[in-house]
Amino acid sequence: MVMVFCQQANGELHKVGLELVGKASELGRDLNAPVTAVILGNDIRHLAPILIQHGADRVIIVEHPLLEAYNVDLHTKALFEVIEHERPEILLLGATQLGRELAPRLAARLKTGLTADCTNLEIDPETKLLLMTRPAFSGNLMATIVCPSHRPQMATVRPGVFPIPTPNPQRHGEIVEFKVRISLEDTLLKLEDVILKVKRDADISNAKIIVAGGRGIGSKDGFETLKELAELLGGTVAGSRAAVENGWIERDRQVGQTGKTVRPKLYIAVGISGAIQHLAGMQDSEFIVAINKDPDAPIMKIADLGIVGDWKQVVPRLIKSLRKLTDRQLTEESVSLIS
């Protein structure tokens, strides 16, 4: 069995769960094994059909009033009880903040290994072991890790690494309710209140158009120009690790190995050289435009369109051209023509 923990909040699934269910379906076919999705919470039964439509053969619902709000102790205990009962061959979790808390705690209780932040998962055709690939040594090489002696084989995967499969409303699967034995005595944490943080902008992982800046932008003021371009295109602004470390852009807008993985339809890289750590987070973009003074920069090798020049001259001219268009809500076709 391939098991996927599907994170939810306020009755809505996190997209990484759907991504992992899709990937688990591929792994399951290679192993001739079913895919089981697990969701924890309260009043969440409506989420089960969604997971089945995206590839789960079976959905285990764990409902309890104490699981309505996230508590790392109670969620760990509840999920551990499910895993102990089901004994999956493989267990996948999203490398979200929640998943990164749960996964190592579960691995310790299960006495098994854990490979974090994977970028690829495959089944070895000979051994049938899970091949878990992740960046290593600061992203300078890719390491493939196996767990031959302990079960389950565990991995966390960052959101955006795998595509969300197309839902099939005709799929049918089994829905199982699992009763867990948890109480307030199982946690040292006391929840006083839940305060929802309102984000000013959408998550860059879901953006269709991204304008990203790197070290070559040179200042925080330069990102204001990139933001203007992004707004004209109907997109959002992002940055490389260097831009974040220099304080030019917020950390939650970082693209790359230590940031977020994105798959936009259009990715404009401005002043980004294209180190492997950055490429790992955006190379699956549908159309990549690179603006850089160095024609031999690594980003140019993967770009669909490379513009060699000073961004301070190129970007303002692009903004000026866009402002001349009467329809400010650009269609994807318009963006293609501009490219």
Side-chain angles (χ1 to χ4, degrees), residues 301-339:
K301 297 178 182 178
I302 68 164
D304 297 285
L305 174 64
I307 301 175
V308 179
D310 187 341
W311 76 268
K312 292 179 181 179
Q313 297 178 8
V314 176
V315 173
R317 290 177 62 183
L318 183 55
I319 291 174
K320 184 178 180 180
S321 297
L322 291 172
R323 289 198 179 282
K324 290 181 180 179
L325 298 177
T326 55
D327 183 5
R328 297 296 177 87
Q329 299 299 321
L330 295 174
T331 62
E332 292 178 10
E333 289 78 8
S334 299
V335 175
S336 298
L337 289 173
I338 293 168
S339 299

Side-chain angles (χ1 to χ4, degrees), residues 32-262:
N32 193 26
V35 175
T36 296
V38 181
I39 44 175
L40 275 61
N42 200 33
D43 191 21
I44 53 173
R45 188 179 179 86
H46 63 283
L47 300 176
I50 300 174
L51 293 168
I52 290 172
Q53 291 172 13
H54 283 81
D57 301 303
R58 186 164 166 261
V59 178
I60 296 177
I61 301 172
V62 183
E63 290 186 312
H64 195 288
L66 292 178
L67 297 175
E68 185 165 0
Y70 174 65
N71 178 304
V72 64
D73 293 333
L74 298 178
H75 275 63
T76 298
K77 187 175 188 300
L79 191 51
F80 174 72
E81 288 187 12
V82 174
I83 297 166
E84 279 285 272
H85 182 269
E86 296 293 321
R87 300 285 182 176
E89 181 75 10
I90 294 171
L91 174 62
L92 306 178
L93 300 90
T96 60
Q97 182 175 345
L98 186 151
R100 285 170 171 160
E101 279 193 325
L102 285 178
R105 287 171 167 83
L106 287 169
R109 293 192 183 199
L110 294 165
K111 294 180 174 56
T112 189
L114 170 64
T115 305
D117 286 342
C118 293
T119 57
N120 193 36
L121 300 171
E122 295 179 354
I123 299 298
D124 187 300
E126 295 183 2
T127 64
K128 298 300 180 183
L129 291 173
L130 178 64
L131 304 178
M132 299 169 280
T133 302
R134 70 178 306 277
F137 293 99
S138 300
N140 291 315
L141 59 83
M142 303 299 287
T144 298
I145 300 169
V146 295
C147 182
S149 304
H150 301 278
R151 294 294 180 270
Q153 300 166 88
M154 283 185 63
T156 61
V157 181
R158 280 191 298 171
V161 171
F162 300 123
I164 295 177
T166 303
N168 178 6
Q170 306 304 317
R171 284 194 91 252
H172 297 284
E174 181 184 5
I175 300 175
V176 179
E177 294 183 6
F178 190 96
K179 300 298 182 183
V180 293
R181 298 178 298 277
I182 59 174
S183 68
L184 290 176
E185 296 179 356
D186 296 317
T187 178
L188 298 175
L189 303 174
K190 182 180 179 181
L191 182 65
E192 294 287 352
D193 196 6
V194 177
I195 301 174
L196 298 179
K197 181 180 178 181
V198 178
K199 291 187 176 181
R200 292 173 298 171
D201 301 296
D203 187 346
I204 62 170
S205 299
N206 301 320
K208 300 299 182 185
I209 297 175
I210 293 177
V211 178
R215 191 187 306 275
I217 298 302
S219 69
K220 191 170 185 177
D221 290 341
F223 272 85
E224 292 301 314
T225 304
L226 299 190
K227 185 177 180 180
E228 184 179 0
L229 174 60
E231 289 176 350
L232 284 169
L233 292 169
T236 190
V237 68
S240 66
R241 179 175 177 175
V244 171
E245 291 180 343
N246 279 291
W248 302 336
I249 195 168
E250 299 87 351
R251 184 165 296 278
D252 63 356
R253 294 188 167 276
Q254 179 182 333
V255 175
Q257 177 197 338
T258 54
K260 294 185 177 180
T261 300
V262 298

